[in-house]
Amino acid sequence: MLRRDRAVVATALAVIAVLAWAHVLGLAADMAMPDATAPSAAGGDMGGMDMSATVAPGFRAWAPADFAFIFAMWAVMMVGMMTPSVAPMVLLYASVGRKAQASGRPIASTAWFFTGYLLVWVAFSIVATGALWLLTSLALLSPMMATNSRILGGLVLVAGGLYQWTPMKGVCLRQCQAPIAFLASRGGFRSDPLGALRFGIEHGAYCLGCCWALMALLFVGGVMNVLWIAGIAILILLEKIVPTGQLIPRISGALMAAAGVGFLVGAS
């Protein structure tokens, strides 16, 4: 029964990630078309909204529908990028849940924990959408939602690279690398749904603290650049599951900072 429960949860996580990535790939393909229009959730056009005009500098100001569409795009992208890296923690929750139920002390459903985790990234998506709107209004983005300013790109890379070396990054990463230790240090999983939701939010907050600087790199390589998105997602996954401590973040941070300096030198 335990193996079957884990298989069900693992399959559900895989389906969620695949659907999110399929949506992102579809949006990227639409934006690559000259006359691309943004599809609505129902599958039709979102009022005929031109996606390139939404984000390209100097085309037009965002309407509320544009903000809602870009927010939904960010939220789905965050689900696709972060679901694989949180899978070990979710599978641990499912295992503990089955054992707790067998012992007569059931805990709240795994879905409550996972929902709490995703709520953190939905909140981040609101902030990211606001940043995208600001950069668009300042004419600092290309149609593929990458900064067209080498100075801004260089500053983002340097800042992100330096953050990879900070104690805050190390603290947050350790919480993500060791799900059992995270669980033990907080007294175990919660039996009530709201407690499990808060537990997921807490874990998501550490994950956000670990990964926000890497997410900012999307503004450098392109928010709709699929290879860039996949590269960042793989880096996040490697940081969390490869037992090298701070080695991967520090190597990537040094490379990011060096690339940023190159951007700044080129801009000057």
Side-chain angles (χ1 to χ4, degrees), residues 4-24:
R4 187 171 64 185
D5 281 0
R6 285 174 60 86
V8 169
V9 172
T11 301
L13 292 175
V15 169
I16 291 171
V18 167
L19 290 177
W21 274 101
H23 186 68
V24 171

Side-chain angles (χ1 to χ4, degrees), residues 1-262:
M1 288 294 293
L2 177 59
R3 286 194 297 270
R4 187 171 64 185
D5 281 0
R6 285 174 60 86
V8 169
V9 172
T11 301
L13 292 175
V15 169
I16 291 171
V18 167
L19 290 177
W21 274 101
H23 186 68
V24 171
L25 290 171
L27 291 180
D30 286 342
M31 289 192 68
M33 297 171 61
D35 58 345
T37 55
S40 69
D45 292 343
M46 193 174 183
M49 184 175 72
D50 187 337
M51 292 179 65
S52 61
T54 299
V55 297
F59 278 79
R60 65 176 175 86
W62 284 13
D66 299 328
F67 193 96
F69 175 79
I70 297 298
F71 161 70
M73 177 202 73
W74 268 103
V76 172
M77 185 166 60
M78 292 301 100
V79 171
M81 294 178 72
M82 301 312 301
T83 295
S85 66
V86 78
M89 184 68 177
V90 176
L91 292 173
L92 173 63
Y93 191 109
S95 298
V96 174
R98 167 54 60 183
K99 294 176 182 177
Q101 185 175 5
S103 65
R105 296 190 301 269
I107 62 175
S109 168
T110 307
W112 285 104
F113 172 81
F114 188 51
T115 298
Y117 178 86
L118 292 183
L119 283 177
V120 173
W121 289 104
V122 169
F124 172 80
S125 298
I126 297 174
V127 176
T129 303
L132 198 63
W133 168 82
L134 178 62
L135 293 174
T136 301
S137 65
L138 296 174
L140 292 174
L141 287 183
S142 71
M144 290 302 289
M145 292 185 275
T147 178
N148 51 26
S149 167
R150 292 185 66 86
I151 294 177
L152 178 59
L155 291 174
V156 171
L157 283 166
V158 170
L162 293 177
Y163 183 77
Q164 292 286 88
W165 285 73
T166 62
M168 178 64 73
K169 167 74 176 191
V171 169
C172 293
L173 181 58
R174 283 193 294 272
Q175 302 300 318
C176 297
Q177 287 177 329
I180 296 177
F182 177 83
L183 168 63
S185 65
R186 282 152 183 82
F189 290 118
R190 310 299 187 263
S191 58
D192 59 301
L194 289 181
L197 188 72
R198 288 193 297 269
F199 196 58
I201 291 173
E202 184 178 2
H203 187 67
Y206 277 111
C207 188
L208 177 60
C210 175
C211 303
W212 70 267
L214 296 177
M215 293 302 181
L217 299 183
L218 291 168
F219 292 103
V220 179
V223 176
M224 281 287 97
N225 184 329
V226 175
L227 292 179
W228 194 250
I229 297 170
I232 294 173
I234 292 171
L235 177 58
I236 290 172
L237 182 62
L238 291 177
E239 283 189 352
K240 293 184 178 182
I241 67 173
V242 177
T244 57
Q246 304 295 312
L247 181 60
I248 293 177
R250 291 182 176 178
I251 292 175
S252 62
L255 293 175
M256 289 159 55
V261 170

